[in-house]
Amino acid sequence: MNSLPKNFAPGGTKSFVPSAINLKFVKLTNHKGQLFELRPIVSKFSITESIHSTSVLVNISLADSNNIIEDLQLIGQERIGLVLSRRSLDTDEDEEIKLDLKISEFPKYKRGNNENVQTFEIAAVSSFAVFDKTLKISRSYNNTTSAEIKKIYETDLSVSDIEEFSVSTSRSRGILRWQHPLNAVEFFRKNAFNDIGSPFYVFQRLTGTTVIAAQSDLVAEEPYAKYYDGKEFTSKPLSQDDFVERSTRIISVNSQLKLGKTFNSKSGAYASENNYLDYGNKTYTKLDYSFDAFPLDKTLNKKTPLSKSAEIDYSQTFQAHCEYISTNEFAFEGETKNHNNLRKENGHIINAFTENLEFTMHDVQLFGDSFLNAGKVVELKFPKIMDPQVRSEKLYDADPNDIYDQNLSGKYLIVSASHTLENGEYFTNIRVKKDSLSFDL
């Protein structure tokens, strides 16, 4: 990799375009505690964060002509330290990303036509994710689910950088069976909800912070930025205006629009039949849940994605998704419940929140931004597709602001972000989803 990345001003500090980033160092510490700088042989690396992953995932591609696998005694017990920096034209402060990781595996190795070069890939995760697989826990619990999650991170995994973005109202009693700490975290996460029944996510951002957050609180945040789909740039190249224009430009979109209601309906997005057998007092109850009761004011765009005038009213198709849950009214004395009793109260709403987020999905490539993180909200603007002359006559003259496709445009939640540096340039690929429309059907 070049010592001076592309698109930097003289001196290698300020970036002319958002895709410029400086890889300061990639230091490997082997099992003997010896430090090695890998930066000169790094050909590509990516850092991926997701609301569905408790750790960031790092992949580093290396092109080696110095026999480092043998010389460094690479055996899978190494640490990786990464530092990247970028400074835009409007600031004198460096933006730095620091990550301390452990190697999880070497997924790829290759020798090609050049007999003097070997290429291989390193996969790394946060240290606590590796330590998790060496430890099992079992104990009683009797606190809110978000508090129990935080306790596992702090007590069992020694993680202190935690942002409790939301506090759950769900609380239960029970015994954690013998299991890895992060498996216990997932057990609590699946049973966590807030006062309106919104599900929770536990994930790590690029900064290293572990976030505990309810879906309803994430989507309530103001958009981090607006991004516009377009191909031409109008600003003077390498100027501040050009930097801003590129930083808000959608480079490409490759999407699974989804939209179809059948699969979401089968997963309980719009209606469900919920059957409960209490083997303590020998009673059977049934609850039919309809999307009519869903809190649309806790969604991204506030408008229902479900039409009542279509041939099938999916809000009444209760048997499209059926749940059968056993409960025990006498499991514990007092108000404290076990986790199945909690599912009776909120399982159907959690399903609706989770599956409704599958309404629309886009995979979007943007110029690199280390603050573009999983769990943040962005607003995407897609122009209407039509002949330019027609657009001018029918849209610009009537309403200059009515140039965007209302169905595709709107607020989206970033569910994953992959930050990739290759050939001296930095791009962020995000997967975004939305749960609602911004206009009335």
Side-chain angles (χ1 to χ4, degrees):
M1 182 172 287
N2 294 333
S3 59
L4 180 61
K6 299 177 183 178
N7 302 318
F8 273 81
T13 55
K14 290 190 176 183
S15 56
F16 283 131
V17 300
S19 61
I21 197 166
N22 183 22
L23 179 61
K24 296 185 75 172
F25 66 72
V26 181
K27 290 187 177 180
L28 180 143
T29 305
N30 71 0
H31 64 100
K32 294 180 178 180
Q34 298 170 317
L35 281 174
F36 301 91
E37 175 58 72
L38 299 181
R39 179 177 177 270
I41 63 170
V42 173
S43 58
K44 176 183 178 180
F45 79 84
S46 65
I47 307 169
T48 301
E49 49 182 314
S50 167
I51 63 172
H52 303 297
S53 177
T54 52
S55 171
V56 294
L57 307 175
V58 177
N59 285 85
I60 305 172
S61 298
L62 304 168
D64 169 42
S65 58
N66 292 295
N67 200 44
I68 68 169
I69 292 180
E70 179 185 35
D71 291 349
L72 305 189
Q73 296 186 357
L74 301 183
I75 59 172
Q77 291 178 274
E78 295 78 29
R79 300 180 72 97
I80 293 286
L82 288 178
V83 174
L84 305 92
S85 68
R86 184 182 69 173
R87 188 189 301 179
S88 61
L89 289 175
D90 62 343
T91 181
D92 290 326
E93 297 293 328
D94 282 337
E95 166 198 329
E96 280 200 345
I97 306 166
K98 295 182 179 180
L99 291 172
D100 184 24
L101 311 156
K102 282 191 175 181
I103 289 179
S104 57
E105 62 176 330
F106 292 79
K108 293 181 181 179
Y109 176 84
K110 181 180 180 180
R111 292 196 183 197
N113 294 329
N114 189 340
E115 62 182 9
N116 298 313
V117 176
Q118 60 182 349
T119 61
F120 60 98
E121 189 174 295
I122 294 174
V125 295
S126 294
S127 297
F128 70 82
V130 174
F131 177 66
D132 169 74
K133 300 307 178 187
T134 69
L135 175 69
K136 287 192 174 182
I137 60 174
S138 178
R139 59 171 175 263
S140 62
Y141 60 88
N142 185 24
N143 208 336
T144 61
T145 46
S146 58
E148 293 290 352
I149 290 171
K150 188 175 181 181
K151 179 181 178 180
I152 292 171
Y153 271 98
E154 294 178 335
T155 304
D156 302 304
L157 298 176
S158 300
V159 174
S160 57
D161 189 3
I162 302 171
E163 180 185 357
E164 200 169 3
F165 194 81
S166 308
V167 177
S168 69
T169 58
S170 51
R171 180 173 186 158
S172 62
R173 283 178 67 184
I175 302 292
L176 279 177
R177 62 178 178 82
W178 198 245
Q179 59 188 299
H180 296 298
L182 289 180
N183 288 349
V185 166
E186 178 60 11
F187 165 76
F188 285 118
R189 187 203 66 79
K190 289 194 297 185
N191 291 285
F193 55 83
N194 61 9
D195 56 345
I196 62 168
S198 171
F200 271 62
Y201 299 96
V202 181
F203 57 97
Q204 187 182 36
R205 281 183 169 153
L206 179 65
T207 57
T209 301
T210 291
V211 180
I212 304 171
Q215 180 176 316
S216 60
D217 291 333
L218 291 175
V219 303
E221 290 292 289
E222 287 297 313
Y224 169 72
K226 290 182 181 179
Y227 297 93
Y228 301 85
D229 182 48
K231 302 306 175 187
E232 296 182 358
F233 295 95
T234 59
S235 303
K236 180 181 177 181
L238 305 184
S239 66
Q240 180 60 36
D241 289 340
D242 182 55
F243 185 97
V244 173
E245 187 177 14
R246 290 177 185 273
S247 67
T248 58
R249 180 60 54 87
I250 295 173
I251 300 173
S252 65
V253 180
N254 185 14
S255 308
Q256 298 178 33
L257 284 180
K258 296 194 172 183
L259 297 179
K261 296 294 185 284
T262 302
F263 292 108
N264 287 358
S265 177
K266 288 179 63 176
S267 300
Y270 309 121
S272 59
E273 179 186 285
N274 302 274
N275 303 274
Y276 307 102
L277 175 64
D278 190 316
Y279 54 83
N281 58 23
K282 306 299 188 293
T283 59
Y284 166 78
T285 55
K286 186 179 78 167
L287 170 68
D288 288 336
Y289 174 75
S290 170
F291 192 70
D292 293 340
F294 190 81
L296 284 169
D297 60 323
K298 303 300 181 181
T299 60
L300 284 160
N301 299 291
K302 316 302 183 188
K303 303 294 184 180
T304 180
L306 203 60
S307 173
K308 285 282 192 178
S309 58
E311 182 179 359
I312 300 176
D313 181 0
Y314 281 98
S315 67
Q316 302 301 310
T317 56
F318 303 111
Q319 292 190 340
H321 181 83
C322 298
E323 294 274 357
Y324 299 90
I325 300 173
S326 61
T327 64
N328 185 356
E329 184 69 22
F330 306 121
F332 299 104
E333 296 180 356
E335 296 183 357
T336 304
K337 303 176 176 64
N338 64 19
H339 72 277
N340 271 7
N341 289 67
L342 290 180
R343 289 181 63 193
K344 180 178 179 180
E345 295 181 359
N346 287 86
H348 47 286
I349 305 175
I350 291 174
N351 272 347
F353 266 103
T354 302
E355 299 304 327
N356 205 47
L357 191 58
E358 302 296 322
F359 172 56
T360 304
M361 183 180 78
H362 295 294
D363 289 320
V364 181
Q365 185 181 52
L366 305 168
F367 287 106
D369 186 346
S370 60
F371 293 104
L372 197 59
N373 304 126
K376 290 187 176 181
V377 175
V378 292
E379 188 170 355
L380 304 184
K381 294 287 191 179
F382 295 97
K384 298 176 186 286
I385 297 297
M386 60 177 63
D387 182 271
Q389 183 64 33
V390 175
R391 177 184 296 152
S392 176
E393 294 174 355
K394 293 190 175 182
L395 295 180
Y396 288 113
D397 295 342
D399 182 359
N401 295 315
D402 185 25
I403 63 173
Y404 297 109
D405 184 318
Q406 292 187 64
N407 204 340
L408 295 177
S409 300
K411 295 178 182 178
Y412 288 81
L413 180 68
I414 301 175
V415 296
S416 68
S418 181
H419 307 267
T420 302
L421 178 59
E422 186 175 14
N423 296 325
E425 295 192 330
Y426 171 35
F427 297 94
T428 300
N429 295 286
I430 59 174
R431 171 164 288 185
V432 296
K433 296 180 179 181
K434 71 175 181 179
D435 54 7
S436 51
L437 293 171
S438 55
F439 60 94
D440 293 313
L441 293 173

